[in-house]
Amino acid sequence: MKKKHYIRLYQDIDCTYQISGDDFDYDSSADEICNSDPANGSMFCIVVPGLYDWHNRFVNATDFADTKTREDFNWALWHRDGLLLAKEIQRQLPRDYTL
C-alpha cells in the first residue's frame, strides 16, 4: 500500500503550510504550495490564486505577541474563503497527498 502524505494549512506569522515528514514551515508568497523533496512524496508545485492574500488577512489582523486577533475580523468570511481555497488545493494535489 502506498504511503499517504499530507499538506496542512498552518496559519502563523510566517507560515502558511506544512508537509508531512518535513520539519519546515512554508509560506505561500507566490500563491504556491510545493514539495521539492521526494522523501516527502511526489514532487509538485501548484498555484492557488488568492492563497497568500487569504493568509495575510489573518496575519494583518492578529497581534502574535498577545495571540489576539482583532474583534472586527470576519471569521465567517475568512473560513469560507479558506474552504474554497482548500478545495482547489486538494483538486490539484497529487493523489498520494491529502489536505
Side-chain angles (χ1 to χ4, degrees):
M1 180 195 249
K2 208 170 186 184
K3 182 177 179 181
K4 195 79 163 166
H5 301 278
Y6 67 86
I7 300 291
R8 182 174 88 151
L9 294 182
Y10 182 79
Q11 298 301 305
D12 203 347
I13 194 163
D14 59 356
C15 174
T16 308
Y17 67 96
Q18 295 176 322
I19 298 175
S20 61
D22 202 339
D23 292 330
F24 300 103
D25 299 335
Y26 299 93
D27 82 8
S28 58
S29 57
D31 286 340
E32 294 178 340
I33 293 181
C34 302
N35 175 40
S36 58
D37 184 350
N40 296 330
S42 300
M43 295 191 314
F44 66 90
C45 192
I46 61 175
V47 176
V48 184
L51 182 62
Y52 185 69
D53 289 339
W54 172 77
H55 170 75
N56 277 328
R57 284 182 6 217
F58 173 74
V59 169
N60 293 334
T62 303
D63 178 344
F64 287 90
D66 292 333
T67 61
K68 185 169 174 80
T69 303
R70 283 193 336 247
E71 290 182 20
D72 66 342
F73 186 69
N74 189 336
W75 285 105
L77 180 62
W78 189 77
H79 284 295
R80 186 210 65 175
D81 292 348
L83 288 171
L84 292 172
L85 290 166
K87 285 180 181 181
E88 180 58 21
I89 293 166
Q90 185 67 51
R91 186 186 72 74
Q92 292 187 51
L93 280 177
R95 294 296 152 222
D96 60 332
Y97 277 88
T98 190
L99 179 66

XYZ file of all heavy atoms in Angstrom:
824
model
N 0.844 -1.173 0.000
C 0.000 0.000 0.000
C 0.894 1.242 0.000
O 1.841 1.340 0.766
C -0.919 -0.017 1.208
C -1.827 1.181 1.247
S -2.572 1.353 2.868
C -4.220 1.005 2.609
N 0.572 2.192 -0.850
C 1.342 3.412 -0.965
C 1.078 4.325 0.228
O -0.053 4.463 0.671
C 0.946 4.113 -2.259
C 2.024 4.944 -2.838
C 1.623 5.395 -4.231
C 2.790 6.105 -4.851
N 2.502 6.662 -6.124
N 2.142 4.932 0.751
C 2.013 5.833 1.894
C 1.284 7.106 1.484
O 1.544 7.678 0.440
C 3.391 6.177 2.446
C 3.328 7.060 3.660
C 4.700 7.333 4.222
C 4.559 8.238 5.432
N 5.841 8.569 6.008
N 0.363 7.547 2.331
C -0.380 8.788 2.090
C 0.360 9.924 2.793
O 0.685 9.828 3.969
C -1.799 8.641 2.647
C -2.745 9.682 2.163
C -3.232 9.387 0.775
C -4.460 10.201 0.489
N -4.822 10.227 -0.880
N 0.627 10.976 2.084
C 1.282 12.160 2.630
C 0.232 13.246 2.805
O -0.869 13.151 2.266
C 2.384 12.632 1.688
C 3.416 11.589 1.441
N 4.450 11.344 2.307
C 3.559 10.709 0.423
C 5.193 10.356 1.843
N 4.666 9.949 0.700
N 0.574 14.286 3.540
C -0.412 15.346 3.724
C 0.224 16.721 3.673
O 1.410 16.892 3.916
C -1.177 15.181 5.036
C -0.344 15.371 6.284
C -0.145 16.636 6.818
C 0.231 14.285 6.928
C 0.618 16.812 7.960
C 0.991 14.454 8.065
C 1.191 15.720 8.574
O 1.956 15.899 9.698
N -0.613 17.671 3.333
C -0.318 19.096 3.427
C -1.246 19.627 4.502
O -2.433 19.310 4.514
C -0.622 19.834 2.098
C 0.211 19.268 0.955
C -0.431 21.334 2.260
C 1.673 19.547 1.042
N -0.708 20.419 5.405
C -1.526 21.008 6.465
C -1.450 22.522 6.351
O -0.360 23.089 6.379
C -1.011 20.565 7.830
C -1.843 21.114 8.966
C -1.393 20.537 10.273
N -0.330 21.370 10.812
C -0.095 21.512 12.095
N -0.803 20.860 12.983
N 0.871 22.292 12.518
N -2.597 23.161 6.172
C -2.622 24.620 6.215
C -2.377 25.019 7.659
O -2.998 24.480 8.578
C -3.963 25.163 5.715
C -4.256 24.913 4.241
C -5.597 25.536 3.865
C -3.161 25.445 3.349
N -1.480 25.938 7.847
C -0.996 26.268 9.178
C -0.819 27.777 9.249
O 0.072 28.323 8.603
C 0.331 25.542 9.399
C 0.960 25.732 10.738
C 0.508 25.031 11.837
C 2.032 26.593 10.900
C 1.097 25.183 13.079
C 2.630 26.760 12.133
C 2.166 26.043 13.212
O 2.750 26.200 14.428
N -1.662 28.436 9.960
C -1.644 29.897 9.988
C -0.772 30.423 11.121
O -1.106 30.305 12.286
C -3.067 30.434 10.121
C -3.957 30.049 8.969
C -3.421 30.540 7.646
O -3.172 31.717 7.470
N -3.215 29.649 6.706
N 0.347 31.002 10.742
C 1.238 31.657 11.680
C 1.838 32.851 10.956
O 1.644 33.014 9.754
C 2.326 30.686 12.161
C 2.921 31.091 13.494
O 2.677 32.235 13.944
O 3.642 30.283 14.082
N 2.601 33.649 11.661
C 3.080 34.901 11.086
C 3.890 34.704 9.807
O 3.794 35.474 8.886
C 3.857 35.736 12.125
C 4.034 37.155 11.630
C 5.165 35.059 12.491
C 4.395 38.140 12.697
N 4.674 33.658 9.715
C 5.488 33.443 8.523
C 5.312 32.037 7.956
O 6.194 31.495 7.309
C 6.958 33.718 8.811
C 7.516 32.844 9.919
O 6.747 32.077 10.516
O 8.726 32.940 10.196
N 4.169 31.454 8.189
C 3.925 30.084 7.741
C 2.501 29.947 7.229
O 1.564 30.398 7.876
C 4.156 29.116 8.902
S 3.724 27.419 8.506
N 2.371 29.316 6.062
C 1.058 29.035 5.501
C 0.751 27.544 5.488
O -0.385 27.143 5.651
C 0.955 29.577 4.057
O 1.352 30.933 4.043
C -0.455 29.464 3.518
N 1.792 26.712 5.310
C 1.530 25.275 5.245
C 2.733 24.471 5.718
O 3.849 24.966 5.790
C 1.121 24.848 3.836
C 2.202 24.960 2.777
C 2.965 23.852 2.432
C 2.440 26.148 2.112
C 3.936 23.945 1.454
C 3.409 26.245 1.130
C 4.161 25.143 0.808
O 5.126 25.238 -0.165
N 2.452 23.207 6.029
C 3.466 22.230 6.393
C 3.236 20.982 5.550
O 2.120 20.717 5.107
C 3.365 21.855 7.871
C 3.654 23.004 8.800
C 3.439 22.616 10.261
O 2.520 21.877 10.573
N 4.274 23.129 11.137
N 4.309 20.215 5.346
C 4.249 18.973 4.588
C 4.602 17.827 5.523
O 5.554 17.935 6.304
C 5.236 19.006 3.404
C 4.876 20.136 2.443
C 5.267 17.667 2.682
C 5.858 20.318 1.313
N 3.857 16.724 5.442
C 4.158 15.570 6.291
C 5.580 15.100 6.052
O 6.083 15.123 4.928
C 3.179 14.427 6.008
O 3.282 14.011 4.663
N 6.244 14.701 7.138
C 7.609 14.193 7.045
C 8.659 15.276 6.960
O 9.849 15.002 6.861
N 8.254 16.526 6.980
C 9.185 17.648 6.848
C 9.182 18.447 8.138
O 8.151 18.581 8.788
C 8.727 18.536 5.689
C 9.840 19.393 5.121
O 10.829 19.621 5.824
O 9.706 19.824 3.969
N 10.310 18.990 8.515
C 10.416 19.775 9.745
C 10.333 21.272 9.494
O 10.669 22.061 10.368
C 11.740 19.467 10.460
C 11.791 18.058 10.999
O 10.713 17.521 11.337
O 12.897 17.496 11.078
N 9.907 21.671 8.309
C 9.897 23.081 7.953
C 8.477 23.615 7.814
O 7.552 22.884 7.505
C 10.646 23.308 6.631
C 12.084 22.891 6.689
C 12.477 21.699 6.111
C 13.032 23.673 7.327
C 13.809 21.291 6.160
C 14.351 23.281 7.388
C 14.744 22.082 6.810
N 8.352 24.923 8.017
C 7.116 25.648 7.753
C 7.352 26.454 6.481
O 8.441 26.978 6.271
C 6.781 26.609 8.896
C 6.565 25.896 10.214
O 6.202 24.713 10.194
O 6.752 26.537 11.261
N 6.338 26.566 5.648
C 6.474 27.275 4.379
C 5.452 28.392 4.290
O 4.349 28.272 4.801
C 6.238 26.312 3.208
C 7.230 25.179 3.163
C 6.950 23.962 3.780
C 8.438 25.333 2.508
C 7.861 22.922 3.744
C 9.357 24.295 2.464
C 9.059 23.093 3.086
O 9.957 22.059 3.047
N 5.850 29.460 3.599
C 4.859 30.486 3.306
C 4.492 30.367 1.836
O 5.126 29.637 1.085
C 5.340 31.887 3.697
C 6.252 32.553 2.679
O 6.429 32.019 1.573
O 6.785 33.618 2.982
N 3.451 31.048 1.456
C 2.946 30.923 0.079
C 2.963 32.280 -0.608
O 1.987 32.693 -1.206
C 1.530 30.354 0.101
O 0.697 31.202 0.868
N 4.097 32.958 -0.522
C 4.178 34.319 -1.034
C 3.892 34.419 -2.531
O 3.535 35.482 -3.016
C 5.543 34.930 -0.720
O 6.574 34.131 -1.249
N 4.027 33.350 -3.256
C 3.710 33.359 -4.688
C 2.446 32.559 -4.972
O 2.249 32.084 -6.091
C 4.884 32.800 -5.477
N 1.577 32.407 -3.962
C 0.356 31.600 -4.099
C 0.673 30.160 -4.477
O -0.117 29.488 -5.125
C -0.604 32.200 -5.129
C -1.318 33.436 -4.631
O -1.393 33.631 -3.404
O -1.801 34.206 -5.475
N 1.845 29.668 -4.055
C 2.274 28.322 -4.403
C 2.339 27.411 -3.179
O 2.644 27.848 -2.078
C 3.674 28.343 -5.026
C 3.750 29.025 -6.345
C 5.160 29.056 -6.894
O 6.134 28.907 -6.136
O 5.277 29.252 -8.114
N 2.081 26.144 -3.423
C 2.349 25.080 -2.460
C 3.203 24.075 -3.218
O 2.809 23.602 -4.292
C 1.058 24.430 -1.938
C 0.279 25.437 -1.107
C 1.375 23.172 -1.136
C -1.005 24.896 -0.513
N 4.387 23.785 -2.667
C 5.342 22.951 -3.383
C 5.970 21.909 -2.469
O 6.127 22.141 -1.271
C 6.473 23.805 -3.952
S 5.939 25.102 -5.071
N 6.333 20.793 -3.060
C 7.180 19.805 -2.399
C 8.333 19.513 -3.350
O 8.120 19.031 -4.460
C 6.444 18.511 -2.081
C 7.396 17.480 -1.501
O 8.264 17.813 -0.705
N 7.251 16.241 -1.908
N 9.560 19.802 -2.910
C 10.733 19.557 -3.742
C 11.601 18.422 -3.195
O 12.700 18.207 -3.667
C 11.558 20.837 -3.862
O 11.937 21.293 -2.574
N 11.086 17.699 -2.190
C 11.841 16.603 -1.585
C 11.114 15.282 -1.834
O 10.049 15.038 -1.263
C 11.991 16.851 -0.088
C 12.846 15.817 0.607
O 13.188 14.781 -0.015
O 13.177 16.031 1.786
N 11.677 14.397 -2.658
C 10.996 13.139 -2.952
C 10.792 12.245 -1.725
O 9.937 11.361 -1.752
C 11.900 12.464 -3.991
C 13.194 13.184 -3.927
C 12.936 14.539 -3.368
N 11.521 12.495 -0.653
C 11.313 11.725 0.584
C 9.959 12.032 1.201
O 9.447 11.247 1.999
C 12.420 12.029 1.588
N 9.354 13.160 0.840
C 8.058 13.571 1.373
C 6.910 13.262 0.416
O 5.824 13.806 0.570
C 8.051 15.062 1.702
C 9.024 15.399 2.799
O 9.303 14.586 3.672
N 9.565 16.599 2.769
N 7.133 12.419 -0.567
C 6.081 12.082 -1.516
C 6.360 12.684 -2.879
O 7.461 13.170 -3.157
N 5.379 12.645 -3.734
C 5.523 13.177 -5.086
C 5.969 14.630 -5.046
O 5.481 15.417 -4.246
C 4.186 13.105 -5.826
O 3.742 11.787 -5.918
N 6.887 14.964 -5.942
C 7.309 16.360 -6.047
C 6.288 17.096 -6.907
O 5.795 16.561 -7.901
C 8.705 16.449 -6.624
C 9.734 15.817 -5.700
S 11.455 16.131 -6.131
C 11.508 15.831 -7.857
N 5.960 18.323 -6.493
C 4.962 19.105 -7.214
C 5.090 20.565 -6.828
O 5.725 20.909 -5.829
C 3.541 18.622 -6.895
C 3.153 18.867 -5.459
C 2.540 20.050 -5.078
C 3.424 17.923 -4.480
C 2.210 20.287 -3.754
C 3.094 18.140 -3.160
C 2.484 19.332 -2.790
N 4.495 21.400 -7.617
C 4.332 22.810 -7.274
C 3.018 23.249 -7.914
O 2.858 23.174 -9.127
C 5.493 23.643 -7.794
S 5.493 25.308 -7.090
N 2.072 23.640 -7.075
C 0.772 24.070 -7.575
C 0.562 25.544 -7.225
O 1.106 26.035 -6.240
C -0.387 23.216 -7.015
C -0.466 23.308 -5.491
C -0.236 21.766 -7.458
C -1.657 22.585 -4.884
N -0.203 26.207 -8.041
C -0.519 27.624 -7.822
C -1.997 27.724 -7.463
O -2.847 27.173 -8.155
C -0.216 28.467 -9.076
C -0.637 29.914 -8.866
C 1.259 28.373 -9.432
N -2.268 28.421 -6.358
C -3.631 28.608 -5.885
C -3.845 30.118 -5.706
O -3.508 30.677 -4.661
C -3.873 27.853 -4.560
C -5.321 27.970 -4.145
C -3.459 26.398 -4.689
N -4.361 30.794 -6.736
C -4.532 32.234 -6.653
C -5.346 32.648 -5.425
O -6.384 32.058 -5.123
C -5.276 32.587 -7.948
C -4.893 31.488 -8.894
C -4.796 30.251 -8.033
N -4.830 33.623 -4.706
C -5.517 34.152 -3.527
C -5.039 33.564 -2.216
O -5.383 34.079 -1.151
N -4.227 32.508 -2.252
C -3.782 31.856 -1.019
C -2.975 32.811 -0.137
O -3.204 32.909 1.069
C -2.955 30.610 -1.347
C -2.464 29.784 -0.162
C -3.646 29.241 0.644
C -1.569 28.648 -0.651
N -2.058 33.535 -0.730
C -1.225 34.463 0.042
C -2.052 35.604 0.638
O -1.895 35.956 1.799
C -0.101 35.007 -0.842
C 0.875 35.876 -0.107
C 1.734 35.334 0.846
C 0.963 37.237 -0.368
C 2.647 36.128 1.519
C 1.872 38.033 0.300
C 2.711 37.480 1.239
O 3.613 38.272 1.912
N -2.952 36.159 -0.147
C -3.817 37.233 0.365
C -4.706 36.731 1.498
O -4.903 37.426 2.498
C -4.688 37.820 -0.750
C -3.879 38.645 -1.731
O -2.776 39.092 -1.379
O -4.362 38.831 -2.863
N -5.245 35.528 1.358
C -6.072 34.933 2.418
C -5.273 34.795 3.697
O -5.734 35.171 4.777
C -6.603 33.584 1.937
C -7.305 32.782 2.975
C -8.570 32.992 3.441
C -6.795 31.654 3.683
N -8.882 32.043 4.402
C -7.799 31.218 4.567
C -5.590 30.975 3.651
C -7.630 30.121 5.406
C -5.418 29.888 4.480
C -6.440 29.474 5.353
N -4.071 34.266 3.590
C -3.195 34.115 4.753
C -2.912 35.472 5.406
O -2.986 35.614 6.622
C -1.886 33.441 4.329
C -0.834 33.439 5.375
N -0.872 32.602 6.467
C 0.281 34.181 5.520
C 0.176 32.820 7.225
N 0.899 33.773 6.664
N -2.621 36.471 4.586
C -2.274 37.790 5.125
C -3.443 38.514 5.771
O -3.234 39.362 6.639
C -1.632 38.656 4.050
C -0.167 38.346 3.940
O 0.481 37.993 4.915
N 0.366 38.458 2.745
N -4.668 38.200 5.378
C -5.816 38.803 6.076
C -5.771 38.431 7.549
O -6.025 39.273 8.420
C -7.133 38.331 5.445
C -7.406 39.020 4.146
C -8.699 38.670 3.446
N -9.652 37.829 4.087
C -10.385 36.913 3.444
N -10.234 36.716 2.150
N -11.263 36.199 4.091
N -5.447 37.189 7.850
C -5.331 36.740 9.242
C -4.099 37.355 9.907
O -4.184 37.878 11.022
C -5.250 35.215 9.282
C -4.970 34.664 10.645
C -5.954 34.653 11.622
C -3.723 34.161 10.961
C -5.698 34.139 12.882
C -3.457 33.641 12.218
C -4.450 33.638 13.180
N -2.967 37.310 9.232
C -1.723 37.842 9.809
C -1.869 39.321 10.138
O -1.486 39.768 11.225
C -0.527 37.607 8.853
C 0.700 38.384 9.297
C -0.219 36.124 8.756
N -2.443 40.081 9.229
C -2.575 41.523 9.443
C -3.586 41.876 10.523
O -3.553 42.972 11.075
C -2.942 42.218 8.136
C -1.821 42.146 7.130
O -0.652 42.029 7.480
N -2.165 42.194 5.859
N -4.474 40.963 10.848
C -5.492 41.213 11.878
C -5.095 40.651 13.239
O -5.840 40.795 14.208
C -6.827 40.599 11.452
N -3.916 40.042 13.319
C -3.530 39.352 14.545
C -2.278 39.952 15.161
O -1.298 40.227 14.481
C -3.291 37.851 14.248
O -4.485 37.311 13.681
C -2.942 37.084 15.506
N -2.331 40.139 16.474
C -1.164 40.527 17.255
C -0.577 39.227 17.801
O -1.115 38.642 18.741
C -1.579 41.462 18.389
C -0.420 41.878 19.268
O 0.652 41.227 19.221
O -0.578 42.852 20.010
N 0.495 38.761 17.201
C 1.047 37.459 17.565
C 1.754 37.489 18.915
O 1.868 36.455 19.564
C 1.973 36.938 16.460
C 1.207 36.491 15.260
C 0.910 37.365 14.231
C 0.744 35.193 15.168
C 0.185 36.959 13.130
C 0.013 34.765 14.074
C -0.264 35.651 13.046
N 2.203 38.651 19.358
C 2.824 38.748 20.679
C 1.795 38.477 21.772
O 2.088 37.829 22.776
C 3.459 40.126 20.868
N 0.573 38.970 21.567
C -0.507 38.765 22.540
C -1.448 37.635 22.119
O -2.436 37.374 22.809
C -1.324 40.047 22.715
C -0.523 41.145 23.400
O 0.399 40.800 24.166
O -0.814 42.324 23.158
N -1.178 37.011 20.984
C -2.038 35.973 20.394
C -3.513 36.380 20.404
O -4.377 35.671 20.870
C -1.846 34.591 21.081
O -2.199 34.700 22.457
C -0.442 34.083 20.914
N -3.760 37.567 19.864
C -5.117 38.099 19.827
C -5.405 38.642 18.434
O -4.628 39.394 17.875
C -5.269 39.193 20.872
C -6.667 39.728 20.989
C -6.800 40.596 22.221
C -8.131 41.264 22.292
N -9.210 40.485 22.776
N -6.552 38.236 17.903
C -7.000 38.728 16.610
C -8.040 39.817 16.834
O -8.842 39.744 17.765
C -7.605 37.565 15.783
O -6.610 36.544 15.670
C -8.009 38.009 14.400
N -7.990 40.847 15.976
C -8.929 41.970 16.114
C -10.364 41.473 16.233
O -10.758 40.513 15.570
C -8.840 42.893 14.897
C -7.654 43.791 14.883
C -7.766 44.895 13.821
N -8.639 44.583 12.714
C -8.226 44.400 11.460
N -6.970 44.466 11.148
N -9.106 44.137 10.514
N -11.136 42.142 17.064
C -12.529 41.752 17.292
C -13.396 41.901 16.053
O -14.378 41.180 15.900
C -13.119 42.554 18.455
C -12.528 42.147 19.790
C -13.148 42.895 20.957
O -14.256 43.427 20.807
O -12.502 42.933 22.017
N -13.039 42.816 15.154
C -13.852 43.028 13.953
C -13.448 42.111 12.789
O -13.986 42.226 11.697
C -13.807 44.492 13.516
C -12.429 44.933 13.053
O -11.420 44.246 13.371
O -12.336 45.973 12.369
N -12.513 41.192 13.043
C -12.097 40.258 11.989
C -13.281 39.366 11.606
O -13.951 38.808 12.463
C -10.927 39.400 12.471
C -10.347 38.522 11.403
C -9.644 39.059 10.337
C -10.496 37.150 11.468
C -9.104 38.247 9.355
C -9.963 36.326 10.494
C -9.263 36.870 9.436
N -13.523 39.247 10.319
C -14.663 38.478 9.823
C -14.268 36.995 9.694
O -13.864 36.530 8.630
C -15.136 39.039 8.486
C -16.430 38.423 8.028
O -16.777 37.311 8.412
N -17.153 39.146 7.197
N -14.400 36.279 10.798
C -14.033 34.868 10.827
C -14.852 34.037 9.847
O -14.317 33.144 9.181
C -14.197 34.297 12.237
C -13.122 34.734 13.165
C -13.221 35.671 14.157
C -11.773 34.273 13.212
N -12.023 35.815 14.815
C -11.107 34.958 14.247
C -11.052 33.336 12.471
C -9.765 34.742 14.557
C -9.717 33.121 12.778
C -9.096 33.814 13.808
N -16.150 34.303 9.741
C -17.015 33.510 8.857
C -16.549 33.627 7.406
O -16.435 32.618 6.695
C -18.474 33.943 8.997
N -16.259 34.827 6.958
C -15.792 35.036 5.590
C -14.420 34.405 5.390
O -14.156 33.761 4.370
C -15.743 36.530 5.265
C -15.261 36.908 3.871
C -16.193 36.336 2.812
C -15.141 38.417 3.747
N -13.551 34.562 6.364
C -12.203 34.008 6.264
C -12.249 32.477 6.178
O -11.568 31.870 5.358
C -11.365 34.474 7.452
C -9.921 34.131 7.326
C -8.988 34.764 6.549
C -9.238 33.076 8.004
N -7.767 34.157 6.701
C -7.894 33.118 7.595
C -9.633 32.104 8.909
C -6.948 32.231 8.063
C -8.685 31.221 9.386
C -7.358 31.287 8.962
N -13.085 31.844 6.995
C -13.222 30.384 6.946
C -13.853 29.932 5.624
O -13.422 28.932 5.041
C -14.046 29.869 8.126
C -13.283 29.855 9.401
N -12.188 29.058 9.621
C -13.454 30.562 10.544
C -11.719 29.262 10.838
N -12.463 30.176 11.418
N -14.853 30.645 5.150
C -15.478 30.294 3.873
C -14.456 30.347 2.750
O -14.337 29.418 1.952
C -16.631 31.246 3.563
C -17.406 30.815 2.312
C -18.004 31.935 1.563
N -16.925 32.788 1.034
C -17.125 33.800 0.242
N -18.335 34.139 -0.120
N -16.123 34.531 -0.202
N -13.685 31.432 2.711
C -12.663 31.568 1.668
C -11.593 30.485 1.811
O -11.103 29.949 0.818
C -12.020 32.951 1.725
C -12.976 34.055 1.327
O -14.069 33.759 0.791
O -12.637 35.237 1.570
N -11.246 30.147 3.045
C -10.270 29.084 3.281
C -10.761 27.734 2.776
O -9.990 26.957 2.209
N -12.038 27.451 2.956
C -12.593 26.193 2.453
C -12.582 26.148 0.927
O -12.299 25.106 0.328
C -14.012 25.979 2.979
C -14.095 25.618 4.455
C -15.545 25.645 4.929
C -13.468 24.259 4.714
N -12.867 27.272 0.291
C -12.810 27.324 -1.173
C -11.375 27.104 -1.665
O -11.149 26.363 -2.629
C -13.350 28.664 -1.681
C -14.840 28.900 -1.475
C -15.215 30.333 -1.837
C -15.663 27.901 -2.268
N -10.413 27.722 -0.990
C -9.018 27.508 -1.347
C -8.605 26.055 -1.108
O -7.900 25.454 -1.920
C -8.113 28.458 -0.554
C -8.211 29.937 -0.932
C -7.547 30.804 0.116
C -7.599 30.175 -2.305
N -9.052 25.489 -0.002
C -8.713 24.099 0.319
C -9.239 23.141 -0.751
O -8.553 22.184 -1.131
C -9.269 23.728 1.692
N -10.431 23.389 -1.246
C -10.982 22.539 -2.312
C -10.112 22.609 -3.564
O -9.866 21.595 -4.221
C -12.419 22.950 -2.639
C -13.408 22.518 -1.600
C -14.808 22.952 -1.990
C -15.800 22.543 -0.915
N -17.170 22.930 -1.261
N -9.642 23.801 -3.882
C -8.781 23.963 -5.057
C -7.420 23.310 -4.831
O -6.869 22.670 -5.733
C -8.613 25.442 -5.410
C -7.749 25.690 -6.612
C -8.233 25.012 -7.895
O -9.431 24.656 -8.012
O -7.404 24.823 -8.806
N -6.877 23.446 -3.640
C -5.601 22.790 -3.319
C -5.755 21.281 -3.466
O -4.940 20.624 -4.122
C -5.134 23.159 -1.898
C -4.775 24.651 -1.824
C -3.948 22.302 -1.474
C -4.624 25.171 -0.405
N -6.780 20.719 -2.855
C -6.985 19.269 -2.910
C -7.165 18.790 -4.349
O -6.656 17.736 -4.728
C -8.205 18.869 -2.070
C -8.417 17.376 -1.974
C -7.322 16.662 -1.204
O -6.994 17.061 -0.104
N -6.761 15.625 -1.777
N -7.852 19.581 -5.159
C -8.075 19.206 -6.560
C -6.751 19.099 -7.314
O -6.573 18.214 -8.161
C -8.983 20.235 -7.228
C -9.403 19.877 -8.649
C -10.175 20.993 -9.318
N -9.333 22.125 -9.681
C -8.468 22.141 -10.699
N -8.308 21.084 -11.449
N -7.771 23.227 -10.968
N -5.799 19.950 -6.988
C -4.528 19.988 -7.714
C -3.444 19.086 -7.127
O -2.459 18.801 -7.807
C -3.983 21.424 -7.747
C -4.797 22.383 -8.567
C -4.101 23.728 -8.683
O -2.932 23.812 -9.039
N -4.833 24.792 -8.364
N -3.607 18.661 -5.890
C -2.569 17.849 -5.249
C -2.416 16.494 -5.931
O -3.408 15.916 -6.383
C -2.913 17.605 -3.776
C -2.613 18.714 -2.798
C -3.083 18.322 -1.393
C -1.130 19.064 -2.774
N -1.182 15.964 -5.953
C -1.007 14.580 -6.408
C -1.836 13.639 -5.536
O -2.094 13.929 -4.359
C 0.488 14.323 -6.207
C 1.116 15.677 -6.195
C 0.089 16.591 -5.598
N -2.256 12.523 -6.076
C -3.168 11.611 -5.385
C -2.583 10.958 -4.134
O -3.318 10.411 -3.324
C -3.686 10.536 -6.331
C -4.565 11.116 -7.429
C -5.819 11.743 -6.833
N -6.294 12.805 -7.702
C -6.729 13.971 -7.292
N -6.760 14.283 -6.034
N -7.152 14.880 -8.147
N -1.241 11.000 -3.979
C -0.672 10.415 -2.760
C -0.621 11.425 -1.618
O -0.013 11.178 -0.581
C 0.719 9.810 -3.025
C 1.746 10.803 -3.534
O 1.349 11.777 -4.185
O 2.947 10.588 -3.295
N -1.309 12.556 -1.787
C -1.424 13.586 -0.741
C -2.880 13.789 -0.361
O -3.784 13.602 -1.157
C -0.902 14.945 -1.256
C 0.582 15.074 -1.166
C 1.382 14.636 -2.195
C 1.197 15.632 -0.054
C 2.747 14.752 -2.137
C 2.556 15.746 0.019
C 3.329 15.301 -1.026
O 4.693 15.424 -0.949
N -3.050 14.229 0.859
C -4.351 14.690 1.318
C -4.123 16.032 1.995
O -3.021 16.361 2.409
C -5.020 13.661 2.259
O -6.364 14.058 2.476
C -4.299 13.553 3.576
N -5.171 16.792 2.112
C -5.089 18.113 2.736
C -5.766 18.054 4.075
O -6.853 17.548 4.209
C -5.764 19.159 1.852
C -5.779 20.581 2.377
C -4.376 21.151 2.455
C -6.645 21.452 1.509
